[in-house]
Amino acid sequence: MSPKLVNIGFGNSVISRRVVAIISPNAAPMKRLRDEAREEKRLIDATQGRRTRSVLITDSNHVILSAVSSEKIAQRFNPECSVPREDIED
């Protein structure tokens, strides 16, 4: 079985089974996580210079930045399941 690729924006994709979490980037702990990953050369910036709208954490502890919202990426992982709107802060 071939790995399922999920588009995270601008022609960039990730292997779905390697992603552990999709997180909103606005909280202070996420900013620290991003800075630590950058220092340790584990940061992958897939925003193409745009604002970061989601942070993906992989099983290899890499941190991937995307300009696509966390909600939209989650829908791409599992199109049948959607996140209730009231649980999402924009």
Side-chain angles (χ1 to χ4, degrees):
M1 182 168 94
S2 64
K4 180 182 174 195
L5 293 175
V6 176
N7 184 333
I8 61 167
F10 305 105
N12 300 301
S13 300
V14 294
I15 298 174
S16 62
R17 70 173 181 257
R18 302 292 305 264
V19 175
V20 176
I22 305 167
I23 304 167
S24 174
N26 301 326
M30 286 303 102
K31 292 177 183 176
R32 283 192 299 273
L33 179 69
R34 182 184 346 188
D35 293 341
E36 289 172 8
R38 181 175 286 122
E39 289 174 12
E40 297 171 8
K41 308 288 190 231
R42 295 182 292 109
L43 183 71
I44 301 168
D45 187 348
T47 62
Q48 303 294 319
R50 292 176 176 77
R51 187 180 112 194
T52 300
R53 300 198 62 182
S54 62
V55 178
L56 291 85
I57 311 296
T58 67
D59 59 355
S60 62
N61 211 23
H62 283 82
V63 176
I64 303 170
L65 308 179
S66 174
V68 178
S69 71
S70 301
E71 176 187 44
K72 188 64 153 175
I73 292 176
Q75 289 173 349
R76 292 176 183 177
F77 271 81
N78 190 1
E80 298 87 38
C81 180
S82 64
V83 179
R85 191 72 201 149
E86 62 271 4
D87 291 346
I88 300 170
E89 296 179 22
D90 287 345

